[in-house]
Amino acid sequence: MPLDPALNSLGLPKPPSETRVVVAMSGGVDSSVVAAQLAEEGYDVVGVTLQLYDHGAALAKKGACCAGRDIHDARRVAETMGFPHYVLDYENTFREAVIDEFADSYLAGATPVPCIRCNERVKFKDLLNTARDLDADCMATGHYIQRKMGDLGAELHQAADAARDQSYFLFSTTKEQLDYLRFPLGHLHSKAETRALAQRYGLSVADKPDSQDICFVPNGNYAAVIEKLRPGAAEPGEIVDPNGHVLGVHKGVIHYTIGQRRGLGIGGLADPLYVVKLDVDKRQVVVGPKEMLATRRVPLREVNWLGDDGLTDMAEREIAVKVRSTRPPIPAILRPISQTEAEVELMVAEEGVSPGQACVFYAPDDSRVLGGGWIWRGR
């Protein structure tokens, strides 16, 4: 709650009843609780669910984000709490801005993170603009991340619950977007608290399981989706060692990721081997010992900087970074090259750093998110 009594719980200077909030509703428990909580507090809530693809098509899976069941669940929550709910058709936008790039990046040997692009190009861009068109004062989501007011404006901070923190997927949020966004769940210390709130509001989604996969990738099978999107993409080739010696054959580079050990089909060797490089042009999967995965220098592009000063104001600065969503931040040095490019030097080498993934920046001494960038070429 804000300290200034003149502000409401969303930090705006008027009563909740005069404050319109668009809530991005996926049909899951998190965004449903946000909408229900704000409605109970008396805000003028408008729920919006995006239909991102045809939920009857082969790409979608039962229970996927924004598929048919989720649209139904979001609508039911709106009916329960008594606020309007709209479904917007964003299929073309989602395919062009997220799915096509996902397929092309994968074909190029990268390991893309489409959830970041969806937040960046769809939810926090087109949907945010729609919220403004609806005369909303702000847009709220169910993401586990915190928005705090600093001396120079709104800041992005990690969630109170480290196990639920989604800051890795929101690093590209701009300062302008952050002024308009709200994240009411970021202060909670466990998912159990969220589900307890859902029970208290009588929501039908209180016990709904969390989605574990990318919404348009059934059962986490990336390769199957790529083959549907890009027929003929799974061309066979050679599995080679770093010196080019052929160790076996594969059924397509798209079936492999950097750091992969299992399922290589080259058993019988004395030491375990890992995928250390994907050579798309030669259709080769390069394998080597684990130490070849170690990386300290990470080149970045499309950098988004959320610090108080300018990115290039300093030649280098100490920060902490995540190169994978599931790992804690580690010490690093950030060296800007331009307003959108930089290099990160990790103090301790990380394994399996791959082009297409994100490198997210954090303040070294607190929970603040300072932005991040996209890893764009091999070690």
Side-chain angles (χ1 to χ4, degrees):
M1 298 289 289
L3 297 177
D4 187 342
L7 302 180
N8 60 34
S9 65
L10 294 176
L12 296 167
K14 52 185 174 179
S17 60
E18 298 176 14
T19 305
R20 175 168 292 177
V21 186
V22 163
V23 179
M25 300 183 68
S26 68
V29 64
D30 299 325
S31 57
S32 295
V33 165
V34 167
Q37 180 176 317
L38 294 176
E40 186 187 60
E41 291 179 19
Y43 286 96
D44 177 10
V45 173
V46 178
V48 176
T49 300
L50 303 183
Q51 180 167 315
L52 300 179
Y53 48 80
D54 180 358
H55 58 262
L59 283 183
K61 67 177 187 295
K62 182 179 179 182
C65 164
C66 304
R69 177 68 192 178
D70 296 305
I71 292 173
H72 169 78
D73 288 342
R75 183 178 291 120
R76 225 175 133 186
V77 168
E79 290 172 352
T80 298
M81 299 303 299
F83 59 82
H85 173 256
Y86 301 97
V87 178
L88 304 182
D89 183 354
Y90 273 52
E91 286 187 38
N92 290 337
T93 298
F94 187 67
R95 175 173 285 274
E96 293 169 4
V98 180
I99 295 181
D100 284 344
E101 183 186 88
F102 169 83
D104 293 339
S105 296
Y106 222 86
L107 287 176
T111 308
V113 190
C115 297
I116 298 176
R117 289 302 197 193
C118 182
N119 290 325
E120 173 188 324
R121 297 177 173 177
V122 181
K123 293 177 182 176
F124 290 177
K125 183 181 177 184
D126 292 343
L127 178 55
L128 191 146
N129 288 335
T130 297
R132 293 187 189 278
D133 291 341
L134 291 170
D135 293 325
D137 295 284
C138 61
M139 186 174 91
T141 79
H143 289 107
Y144 286 88
I145 195 167
Q146 297 188 81
R147 175 188 183 274
K148 297 182 179 182
M149 292 306 297
D151 294 338
L152 299 180
E155 300 175 352
L156 205 59
H157 286 254
Q158 292 174 275
D161 179 6
R164 307 293 306 179
D165 175 57
Q166 292 178 292
S167 58
Y168 182 87
F169 300 100
L170 297 170
F171 82 85
S172 60
T173 305
T174 66
K175 292 181 179 180
E176 180 183 15
Q177 292 167 345
L178 193 55
D179 285 339
Y180 194 68
L181 290 165
R182 299 295 188 274
F183 309 106
L185 301 184
H187 69 286
L188 300 182
H189 288 87
S190 73
K191 185 60 176 271
E193 291 185 55
T194 307
R195 294 195 182 278
L197 287 170
Q199 293 280 5
R200 182 162 75 81
Y201 298 132
L203 304 184
S204 59
V205 296
D207 297 319
K208 186 174 181 177
D210 292 338
S211 177
Q212 300 297 321
D213 300 317
I214 295 170
C215 63
F216 61 91
V217 181
N219 304 315
N221 190 343
Y222 290 22
V225 171
I226 301 301
E227 289 187 78
K228 287 180 181 292
L229 294 169
R230 302 289 187 268
E235 296 183 5
E238 299 171 336
I239 300 176
V240 302
D241 68 13
N243 297 316
H245 299 135
V246 178
L247 303 178
V249 295
H250 64 76
K251 296 180 180 179
V253 172
I254 63 171
H255 294 283
Y256 299 85
T257 58
I258 301 294
Q260 180 177 335
R261 176 186 174 187
R262 300 183 183 278
L264 300 182
I266 50 172
L269 300 175
D271 299 315
L273 295 176
Y274 299 77
V275 176
V276 298
K277 183 180 179 182
L278 298 172
D279 192 324
V280 177
D281 294 334
K282 295 181 180 179
R283 299 204 303 274
Q284 288 184 335
V285 174
V286 183
V287 297
K290 189 175 184 180
E291 53 265 27
M292 288 191 67
L293 290 170
T295 302
R296 284 194 59 188
R297 294 188 180 275
V298 185
L300 305 175
R301 62 183 176 185
E302 293 184 64
V303 171
N304 179 54
W305 179 246
L306 293 174
D308 291 336
D309 56 355
L311 174 63
T312 57
D313 286 355
M314 298 173 61
E316 62 178 45
R317 66 185 82 208
E318 294 182 4
I319 59 171
V321 301
K322 279 189 182 184
V323 291
R324 286 192 180 173
S325 63
T326 55
R327 296 185 181 178
I330 59 174
I333 300 293
L334 173 65
R335 297 188 178 96
I337 297 172
S338 69
Q339 294 293 343
T340 58
E341 289 187 304
E343 181 183 77
V344 161
E345 180 182 354
L346 306 176
M347 295 297 95
V348 177
E350 280 276 305
E351 297 173 352
V353 177
S354 175
Q357 295 180 328
C359 177
V360 180
F361 313 151
Y362 299 87
D365 51 0
D366 67 18
S367 64
R368 186 174 179 184
V369 183
L370 296 175
W374 292 95
I375 303 168
W376 69 277
R377 66 173 181 249
R379 306 177 325 277

